[in-house]
Amino acid sequence: MAGSSFGNIFRITTWGESHGKALGVVIDGVPAGLKLSESDIQPYMDRRAPGSSMISTPRKEADEVEILSGTFEGKTTGCPISVMVRNTSQHSSDYSAIKDIYRPGHADYTFDAKYGFRDYRGGGRSSGRETLCRVAAGAVAAKLLKELGIDVCSYTRSIGPVSIDPANFDRALITTLPTCMPDQEANDKALEYLESVRSEADSAGGVIETVISGMPAGIGDPVFDKLSADLAKAIMSIGAMKALEFGDGIGVSSAKGSENNDAFRMDGDKVTKATNHSGGLLGGMSDGSDIIIRSYVKPTPSIYKTQETVTKDNEDTRINIEGRHDPIIVPRAVVVVESMCAITLADALMTNMSARLDSLKTFYRQ
Ligand SMILES: Cc1cc2nc3c(=O)[nH]c(=O)nc-3n(C[C@H](O)[C@H](O)[C@H](O)COP(=O)(O)O)c2cc1C
């Protein structure tokens, strides 16, 4: 299968299926000397794992990480880091009923159209479980970014019709509330909405917002490897992501230039902007302001209502999905988006090291 690697210098390759023996990621290009142990990665995995609330799948996934290579005496060696999670909670028999039937909204039909053969247990590589590999790599990238003073923070902005109120923003709530909203009131309303959706055997979607602060200006490579293009690829490669916005996003199409342009101004010897409609990106490069991204997530395709579909043998039929599915993907995908952003930034920053002769001279002549 092509397409399992991402990045140039900070490069990840994910492997494994949701109902196979294990899943994992190989992370190449991490500089030597970064303090790293399982305890740096596990909290990220715990944020992605199903919780105990009613909005989470009843699957119990311990998702315990093991670092297999690339560290010695608690530090990275500069060699490939391999991280593995063993699968311990598979109920593969739940899926035998859909072996020859395509789940609407899932990747069963397109996998068969492409390969003529698929791992139907839990969706194989198309399962949301693949994203745990990205989160393991994201934890490493985030640790690297922290050393450079860069912070990536993703949270749930909306679920169905319920949006957060920026006036209530409390970062500590993102990792404690079941919706991953930074707003207690919106969380409570969203839970009510999800209860009604769930009682109808249905599912819901929503929006994840990401704020990246501390990025220096000028990161990203024109013309095909723009930071905006790489972030879009990173996020749109996550299952169930359907649209993206940077800064004012689709709103710019109805704004005037005078409204949309961010005036530059000096703050001491630093170039800053009076506003941030651009969302921290100009010409595909970071402009030194916060990078603002909104990722739009579709409702979980596996719902418990009877649906019309077709069989592998081209017959019309109906499907009743079993198995254990999230009634909403958004809260579990928050840390996945954060991780893919961190991986993209780490790669862009390392690629940028070769942009200027001055930087090379400073490095090699010191
Ligand atoms: C963290 C996460 C968890 C997911 N959990 C489920 C799930 O429980 N059931 C399901 O049908 N889809 C789930 N998905 C979505 C499917 O993986 C995705 O919709 C499918 O691969 C089809 O791809 P597409 O939606 O991009 O077209 C999840 C996705 C993510 C990112």
Side-chain angles (χ1 to χ4, degrees):
M1 175 185 271
S4 293
S5 300
F6 180 80
N8 296 308
I9 297 181
F10 188 103
R11 184 169 171 82
I12 66 163
T13 300
T14 74
W15 57 267
E17 294 81 27
S18 63
H19 287 234
K21 285 191 177 165
L23 297 106
V25 60
V26 177
I27 316 160
D28 213 349
V30 181
L34 181 73
K35 276 193 190 156
L36 188 71
S37 69
E38 276 92 352
S39 64
D40 293 306
I41 302 175
Q42 196 61 51
Y44 279 72
M45 308 304 274
D46 297 345
R47 283 172 65 194
R48 201 210 68 95
S52 49
S53 76
M54 67 86 176
I55 64 165
S56 209
T57 167
R59 285 191 307 263
K60 289 285 158 267
E61 295 170 0
D63 291 353
E64 211 170 293
V65 286
E66 287 174 63
I67 297 178
L68 303 182
S69 70
T71 61
F72 182 62
E73 294 180 342
K75 283 187 191 165
T76 56
T77 57
C79 300
I81 298 169
S82 194
V83 182
M84 182 177 79
V85 170
R86 286 174 204 278
N87 283 323
T88 54
S89 166
Q90 307 101 303
H91 282 201
S92 303
S93 57
D94 285 347
Y95 293 90
S96 50
I98 58 152
K99 185 158 93 48
D100 300 317
I101 303 182
Y102 299 136
R103 286 170 297 172
H106 219 292
D108 305 339
Y109 169 66
T110 43
F111 260 69
D112 261 0
K114 183 175 180 67
Y115 298 105
F117 179 74
R118 81 191 142 93
D119 181 348
Y120 57 81
R121 305 161 307 163
R125 288 290 282 167
S126 70
S127 165
R129 210 160 153 66
E130 181 273 337
T131 61
L132 72 83
C133 311
R134 301 161 183 247
V135 172
V140 179
K143 186 130 204 230
L144 191 67
L145 296 180
K146 201 169 171 204
E147 298 273 332
L148 304 175
I150 298 164
D151 177 61
V152 186
C153 175
S154 298
Y155 49 86
T156 302
R157 180 184 162 98
S158 69
I159 286 178
V162 183
S163 291
I164 58 163
D165 178 350
N168 295 342
F169 195 99
D170 179 352
R171 184 166 178 166
L173 297 178
I174 300 169
T175 47
T176 53
L177 293 179
T179 59
C180 297
M181 283 174 154
D183 174 353
Q184 181 76 55
E185 214 174 292
N187 170 79
D188 299 348
K189 283 189 191 146
L191 289 181
E192 269 174 43
Y193 171 72
L194 287 170
E195 184 53 59
S196 73
V197 166
R198 203 173 66 114
S199 67
E200 293 161 6
D202 223 326
S203 61
V207 181
I208 297 169
E209 192 159 64
T210 303
V211 179
I212 299 161
S213 48
M215 268 300 270
I219 308 301
D221 278 307
V223 292
F224 294 114
D225 295 339
K226 290 178 173 173
L227 187 56
S228 43
D230 285 350
L231 283 166
K233 180 167 184 182
I235 295 169
M236 291 303 287
S237 70
I238 303 168
M241 294 295 151
K242 292 297 138 189
L244 267 196
E245 288 183 313
F246 294 109
D248 284 6
I250 57 169
V252 302
S253 59
S254 54
K256 293 180 180 155
S258 56
E259 295 163 336
N260 184 55
N261 290 346
D262 301 308
F264 285 113
R265 55 167 66 145
M266 293 308 295
D267 180 8
D269 58 357
K270 195 173 177 283
V271 176
T272 60
K273 287 156 48 199
T275 49
N276 191 18
H277 300 295
S278 75
L281 294 156
L282 285 170
M285 290 174 270
S286 53
D287 69 13
S289 310
D290 287 355
I291 297 176
I292 316 280
I293 310 167
R294 281 178 298 283
S295 313
Y296 290 74
V297 189
K298 77 180 190 183
T300 316
S302 297
I303 53 174
Y304 298 110
K305 275 181 194 298
T306 304
Q307 300 173 85
E308 287 183 9
T309 187
V310 297
T311 67
K312 228 179 149 194
D313 301 320
N314 300 334
E315 284 165 354
D316 287 322
T317 187
R318 291 165 91 77
I319 186 169
N320 289 303
I321 291 174
E322 292 176 16
R324 298 159 295 165
H325 301 280
D326 306 291
I328 177 141
I329 291 165
V330 172
R332 299 190 62 206
V334 162
V335 69
V336 183
V337 171
E338 191 175 294
S339 295
M340 288 310 292
C341 289
I343 290 163
T344 309
L345 298 177
D347 190 39
L349 284 155
M350 288 167 80
T351 304
N352 190 63
M353 295 290 289
S354 63
R356 288 186 187 212
L357 178 61
D358 286 355
S359 315
L360 287 174
K361 277 178 159 171
T362 310
F363 181 82
Y364 283 108
R365 287 198 175 166
Q366 68 190 353

